PDB file of all heavy atoms in Angstrom:
ATOM      1  N   ILE U  59     125.431 104.714  87.746  1.00  0.00           N
ATOM      2  CA  ILE U  59     124.192 105.159  88.453  1.00  0.00           C
ATOM      3  C   ILE U  59     123.810 106.559  87.974  1.00  0.00           C
ATOM      4  O   ILE U  59     124.670 107.449  88.012  1.00  0.00           O
ATOM      5  CB  ILE U  59     124.401 105.119  89.948  1.00  0.00           C
ATOM      6  CG1 ILE U  59     124.759 103.789  90.449  1.00  0.00           C
ATOM      7  CG2 ILE U  59     123.058 105.599  90.643  1.00  0.00           C
ATOM      8  CD1 ILE U  59     125.023 103.610  91.965  1.00  0.00           C
ATOM      9  N   ASP U  60     122.600 106.719  87.548  1.00  0.00           N
ATOM     10  CA  ASP U  60     122.086 108.057  87.214  1.00  0.00           C
ATOM     11  C   ASP U  60     121.393 108.625  88.553  1.00  0.00           C
ATOM     12  O   ASP U  60     120.511 107.957  89.082  1.00  0.00           O
ATOM     13  CB  ASP U  60     120.985 107.939  86.162  1.00  0.00           C
ATOM     14  CG  ASP U  60     121.636 107.869  84.790  1.00  0.00           C
ATOM     15  OD1 ASP U  60     122.804 107.452  84.646  1.00  0.00           O
ATOM     16  OD2 ASP U  60     120.953 108.111  83.778  1.00  0.00           O
ATOM     17  N   SER U  61     121.877 109.748  88.953  1.00  0.00           N
ATOM     18  CA  SER U  61     121.392 110.338  90.250  1.00  0.00           C
ATOM     19  C   SER U  61     120.946 111.829  89.967  1.00  0.00           C
ATOM     20  O   SER U  61     121.414 112.500  89.142  1.00  0.00           O
ATOM     21  CB  SER U  61     122.559 110.366  91.216  1.00  0.00           C
ATOM     22  OG  SER U  61     122.211 111.120  92.416  1.00  0.00           O
ATOM     23  N   SER U  62     119.954 112.197  90.811  1.00  0.00           N
ATOM     24  CA  SER U  62     119.674 113.569  90.906  1.00  0.00           C
ATOM     25  C   SER U  62     120.967 114.368  91.388  1.00  0.00           C
ATOM     26  O   SER U  62     121.794 113.779  92.022  1.00  0.00           O
ATOM     27  CB  SER U  62     118.575 113.832  91.932  1.00  0.00           C
ATOM     28  OG  SER U  62     118.543 115.166  92.452  1.00  0.00           O
ATOM     29  N   SER U  63     121.116 115.537  90.857  1.00  0.00           N
ATOM     30  CA  SER U  63     122.339 116.308  91.205  1.00  0.00           C
ATOM     31  C   SER U  63     122.222 116.900  92.582  1.00  0.00           C
ATOM     32  O   SER U  63     123.276 117.330  93.071  1.00  0.00           O
ATOM     33  CB  SER U  63     122.513 117.443  90.248  1.00  0.00           C
ATOM     34  OG  SER U  63     121.408 118.271  90.147  1.00  0.00           O
ATOM     35  N   LEU U  64     121.058 116.816  93.354  1.00  0.00           N
ATOM     36  CA  LEU U  64     121.115 117.224  94.710  1.00  0.00           C
ATOM     37  C   LEU U  64     121.813 116.348  95.601  1.00  0.00           C
ATOM     38  O   LEU U  64     121.831 115.149  95.472  1.00  0.00           O
ATOM     39  CB  LEU U  64     119.615 117.312  95.125  1.00  0.00           C
ATOM     40  CG  LEU U  64     118.733 118.373  94.473  1.00  0.00           C
ATOM     41  CD1 LEU U  64     117.249 118.119  94.625  1.00  0.00           C
ATOM     42  CD2 LEU U  64     119.171 119.793  95.006  1.00  0.00           C
ATOM     43  N   LEU U  65     122.474 116.926  96.588  1.00  0.00           N
ATOM     44  CA  LEU U  65     123.465 116.205  97.472  1.00  0.00           C
ATOM     45  C   LEU U  65     122.943 114.955  98.124  1.00  0.00           C
ATOM     46  O   LEU U  65     123.635 113.897  98.118  1.00  0.00           O
ATOM     47  CB  LEU U  65     124.063 117.180  98.492  1.00  0.00           C
ATOM     48  CG  LEU U  65     125.064 116.562  99.481  1.00  0.00           C
ATOM     49  CD1 LEU U  65     126.290 116.020  98.787  1.00  0.00           C
ATOM     50  CD2 LEU U  65     125.509 117.596 100.570  1.00  0.00           C
ATOM     51  N   ARG U  66     121.711 115.044  98.700  1.00  0.00           N
ATOM     52  CA  ARG U  66     121.190 113.879  99.357  1.00  0.00           C
ATOM     53  C   ARG U  66     121.065 112.656  98.430  1.00  0.00           C
ATOM     54  O   ARG U  66     121.249 111.466  98.874  1.00  0.00           O
ATOM     55  CB  ARG U  66     119.850 114.232 100.036  1.00  0.00           C
ATOM     56  CG  ARG U  66     118.788 114.714  99.037  1.00  0.00           C
ATOM     57  CD  ARG U  66     117.713 115.348  99.853  1.00  0.00           C
ATOM     58  NE  ARG U  66     116.534 115.778  99.074  1.00  0.00           N
ATOM     59  CZ  ARG U  66     116.451 117.047  98.585  1.00  0.00           C
ATOM     60  NH1 ARG U  66     117.428 117.909  98.770  1.00  0.00           N
ATOM     61  NH2 ARG U  66     115.373 117.375  97.933  1.00  0.00           N
ATOM     62  N   ALA U  67     120.660 112.905  97.204  1.00  0.00           N
ATOM     63  CA  ALA U  67     120.494 111.820  96.226  1.00  0.00           C
ATOM     64  C   ALA U  67     121.950 111.318  95.770  1.00  0.00           C
ATOM     65  O   ALA U  67     122.180 110.109  95.683  1.00  0.00           O
ATOM     66  CB  ALA U  67     119.720 112.299  95.013  1.00  0.00           C
ATOM     67  N   TRP U  68     122.855 112.243  95.498  1.00  0.00           N
ATOM     68  CA  TRP U  68     124.203 111.937  95.024  1.00  0.00           C
ATOM     69  C   TRP U  68     124.878 111.079  96.137  1.00  0.00           C
ATOM     70  O   TRP U  68     125.602 110.037  95.855  1.00  0.00           O
ATOM     71  CB  TRP U  68     124.978 113.239  94.737  1.00  0.00           C
ATOM     72  CG  TRP U  68     126.416 112.745  94.154  1.00  0.00           C
ATOM     73  CD1 TRP U  68     126.797 112.503  92.942  1.00  0.00           C
ATOM     74  CD2 TRP U  68     127.564 112.598  95.045  1.00  0.00           C
ATOM     75  NE1 TRP U  68     128.024 112.206  92.843  1.00  0.00           N
ATOM     76  CE2 TRP U  68     128.602 112.268  94.183  1.00  0.00           C
ATOM     77  CE3 TRP U  68     127.802 112.648  96.392  1.00  0.00           C
ATOM     78  CZ2 TRP U  68     129.919 111.972  94.623  1.00  0.00           C
ATOM     79  CZ3 TRP U  68     129.096 112.442  96.884  1.00  0.00           C
ATOM     80  CH2 TRP U  68     130.175 112.075  96.009  1.00  0.00           C
ATOM     81  N   GLN U  69     124.754 111.469  97.369  1.00  0.00           N
ATOM     82  CA  GLN U  69     125.379 110.727  98.475  1.00  0.00           C
ATOM     83  C   GLN U  69     124.903 109.319  98.559  1.00  0.00           C
ATOM     84  O   GLN U  69     125.573 108.301  98.742  1.00  0.00           O
ATOM     85  CB  GLN U  69     125.148 111.430  99.828  1.00  0.00           C
ATOM     86  CG  GLN U  69     126.090 112.564 100.007  1.00  0.00           C
ATOM     87  CD  GLN U  69     125.867 113.227 101.384  1.00  0.00           C
ATOM     88  OE1 GLN U  69     124.771 113.543 101.744  1.00  0.00           O
ATOM     89  NE2 GLN U  69     126.883 113.359 102.178  1.00  0.00           N
ATOM     90  N   THR U  70     123.479 109.170  98.403  1.00  0.00           N
ATOM     91  CA  THR U  70     122.881 107.871  98.456  1.00  0.00           C
ATOM     92  C   THR U  70     123.472 107.040  97.279  1.00  0.00           C
ATOM     93  O   THR U  70     123.784 105.865  97.557  1.00  0.00           O
ATOM     94  CB  THR U  70     121.400 108.045  98.288  1.00  0.00           C
ATOM     95  OG1 THR U  70     120.863 108.847  99.443  1.00  0.00           O
ATOM     96  CG2 THR U  70     120.654 106.663  98.371  1.00  0.00           C
ATOM     97  N   ALA U  71     123.543 107.562  96.159  1.00  0.00           N
ATOM     98  CA  ALA U  71     124.027 106.887  94.952  1.00  0.00           C
ATOM     99  C   ALA U  71     125.513 106.486  95.221  1.00  0.00           C
ATOM    100  O   ALA U  71     125.870 105.338  94.826  1.00  0.00           O
ATOM    101  CB  ALA U  71     123.870 107.678  93.708  1.00  0.00           C
ATOM    102  N   ASP U  72     126.272 107.375  95.813  1.00  0.00           N
ATOM    103  CA  ASP U  72     127.713 107.029  95.916  1.00  0.00           C
ATOM    104  C   ASP U  72     127.946 105.975  96.973  1.00  0.00           C
ATOM    105  O   ASP U  72     128.798 105.132  96.847  1.00  0.00           O
ATOM    106  CB  ASP U  72     128.471 108.324  96.385  1.00  0.00           C
ATOM    107  CG  ASP U  72     129.992 108.130  96.233  1.00  0.00           C
ATOM    108  OD1 ASP U  72     130.371 107.840  95.099  1.00  0.00           O
ATOM    109  OD2 ASP U  72     130.718 108.387  97.198  1.00  0.00           O
ATOM    110  N   ILE U  73     127.068 105.916  98.024  1.00  0.00           N
ATOM    111  CA  ILE U  73     127.118 104.776  98.924  1.00  0.00           C
ATOM    112  C   ILE U  73     126.776 103.468  98.276  1.00  0.00           C
ATOM    113  O   ILE U  73     127.363 102.410  98.459  1.00  0.00           O
ATOM    114  CB  ILE U  73     126.164 105.119 100.184  1.00  0.00           C
ATOM    115  CG1 ILE U  73     126.724 106.172 100.966  1.00  0.00           C
ATOM    116  CG2 ILE U  73     126.068 103.841 101.036  1.00  0.00           C
ATOM    117  CD1 ILE U  73     125.799 106.737 102.043  1.00  0.00           C
ATOM    118  N   LEU U  74     125.801 103.456  97.402  1.00  0.00           N
ATOM    119  CA  LEU U  74     125.446 102.318  96.588  1.00  0.00           C
ATOM    120  C   LEU U  74     126.702 101.875  95.756  1.00  0.00           C
ATOM    121  O   LEU U  74     127.019 100.700  95.669  1.00  0.00           O
ATOM    122  CB  LEU U  74     124.266 102.556  95.698  1.00  0.00           C
ATOM    123  CG  LEU U  74     122.925 102.837  96.384  1.00  0.00           C
ATOM    124  CD1 LEU U  74     121.831 103.089  95.370  1.00  0.00           C
ATOM    125  CD2 LEU U  74     122.514 101.703  97.355  1.00  0.00           C
TER     126      LEU U  74
END
Side-chain angles (χ1 to χ4, degrees):
I59 300 178
D60 283 15
S61 168
S62 160
S63 55
L64 291 165
L65 178 58
R66 57 193 182 270
W68 181 90
Q69 284 184 304
T70 302
D72 197 53
I73 291 169
L74 297 178

